[in-house]
Amino acid sequence: MSIELRHFRCFLAIADTLSVTRAAERLHLTQPAVSRTLRRLEQELGIRLVDRSTHHLALTPEGLAFRDRAAIAVAAFDRALGQAGHTVWPLRLGHAWSAAGAYTTALLRRWHEEYPDTPLELLRVDDRTAGLARGEVDIALLRGEVAAPGLITEQLTTESRVAGLPADDPLAHRTSLTLAELAGRTMALNTVSGSTTLDLWPATARPATSITIGNTDDWLAAITGGRAVGVTTTGTARMHPHPAMAYVPLSDAPPVPVVLAWRDAPGHPRIPDLIALARAVIGAAGNAAADNHGYGGGVGARRGPAHHSGE
């Protein structure tokens, strides 16, 4: 038996739902059919993708690694079919939050002016790599740590960290704050796509309580609703102003790298053009701002994980 696209789709449904029953409902198949398809895929690959030894279905380490490769293959197939009858091939630029910050409008307008025949689609995907590792986008603007294998990253600039507070908070009218002044508060942490963790604070002075958030909208709602405070970057302050929200600079928090990432594999032919334009629009302007404000972020492409500490 050869592996077919239906085997990939079946496995991805199981990986997404972590349930054979729910996967069968999604695919409009019977549970035995889904189980047989998964078993045949594992036999063909010679690896175990799903751990069935517990009460709750879970992916094995091999299953987790294969999930991303399968998602890329299915996305490429679907996109090829979708583009078959069209001459325009849009370039998909992913971001998890705040896009290119203050440079977003300039980047989009410059692209439209210089490459009018290739639409640049800006897509927010609530994922650590903004959908890049799963094949949902062609290239991505990311912040902080980029640990997914098979990606090339280039740091364009850095953004200063700021505290996010309710506008009526006693600290909201300060000109600057320190991390220690936030340690006694409940922190909203975006664990899906954010760049801030409790490791930002010294081990002996970390916030005692935190709430887990899955995206920027919920992060903003938690803070403006008075449930918590947060730490983010100037990009969020510029892209998400809110009358019930205050952003206050943090004087002792390290800046967050802003990187452009793409897969180390053949991709959209316009990716090099977007990289060059991002260097010109974001990199040059960002480095000039860094020189003026005393912080910097060098420019250099690298393969593999880019590790940085620190929405």
Side-chain angles (χ1 to χ4, degrees):
M1 183 200 76
S2 60
I3 296 177
E4 302 174 5
L5 193 65
R6 63 186 179 88
H7 295 95
F8 282 25
R9 293 193 191 279
C10 181
F11 168 69
L12 290 174
I14 295 172
D16 189 36
T17 62
L18 293 180
S19 167
V20 172
T21 300
R22 290 194 292 272
E25 292 172 351
R26 176 180 294 186
L27 297 170
H28 304 290
L29 298 172
T30 65
Q31 293 182 40
V34 169
S35 296
R36 285 195 302 271
T37 302
L38 173 62
R39 185 166 57 252
R40 290 171 182 168
L41 177 61
E42 290 179 320
Q43 291 171 349
E44 286 291 317
L45 295 174
I47 57 176
R48 190 178 183 186
L49 300 172
V50 175
D51 184 0
R52 306 171 184 82
S53 62
T54 62
H55 294 296
H56 300 286
L57 184 148
L59 299 184
T60 64
E62 294 80 8
L64 287 169
F66 182 72
R67 177 189 61 187
D68 291 339
R69 296 195 296 270
I72 290 173
V74 171
F77 178 85
D78 289 342
R79 189 173 185 191
L81 288 182
Q83 294 297 326
H86 303 277
T87 57
V88 176
W89 183 1
L91 177 60
R92 302 166 300 171
L93 173 60
H95 70 103
W97 46 280
S98 300
Y103 310 108
T104 302
T105 299
L107 180 65
L108 296 177
R109 289 187 176 180
R110 281 279 301 274
W111 180 269
H112 179 68
E113 292 170 0
E114 298 184 22
Y115 304 99
D117 295 333
T118 302
L120 180 60
E121 298 180 351
L122 184 65
L123 304 173
R124 174 181 145 185
V125 182
D126 293 317
D127 174 78
R128 184 65 63 184
T129 65
L132 183 61
R134 297 176 64 86
E136 297 177 27
V137 299
D138 302 297
I139 189 168
L141 282 162
L142 306 172
R143 288 170 175 79
E145 180 181 359
V146 181
L151 300 184
I152 303 174
T153 63
E154 176 168 328
Q155 183 172 319
L156 297 172
T157 186
T158 60
E159 291 177 343
S160 297
R161 280 187 168 94
V162 296
L165 305 162
D168 58 354
D169 190 278
L171 299 178
H173 300 292
R174 294 275 296 276
T175 56
S176 68
L177 293 169
T178 64
L179 289 171
E181 291 178 287
L182 299 179
R185 311 291 289 275
T186 297
M187 297 299 304
L189 301 176
N190 181 349
T191 58
V192 174
S193 59
S195 62
T196 299
T197 70
L198 295 180
D199 291 336
L200 185 62
W201 285 262
T204 57
R206 290 174 180 166
T209 58
S210 64
I211 58 175
T212 299
I213 301 299
N215 56 63
T216 300
D217 293 336
D218 292 346
W219 184 85
L220 290 167
I223 295 173
T224 57
R227 294 181 59 205
V229 300
V231 174
T232 185
T233 73
T234 52
T236 304
R238 288 162 178 156
M239 293 294 289
H240 300 281
H242 195 290
M245 186 84 168
Y247 297 98
V248 181
L250 286 168
S251 61
D252 60 347
V256 174
V258 179
V259 304
L260 198 62
W262 60 97
R263 289 186 294 276
D264 187 11
H268 196 290
R270 287 293 191 188
I271 286 177
D273 298 315
L274 182 58
I275 294 170
L277 186 62
R279 288 176 185 147
V281 174
I282 304 172
N287 289 332
D291 292 338
N292 292 335
H293 294 286
Y295 60 87
V299 176
R302 58 179 294 170
R303 297 176 187 269
H307 296 286
H308 308 287
S309 175
E311 208 187 336

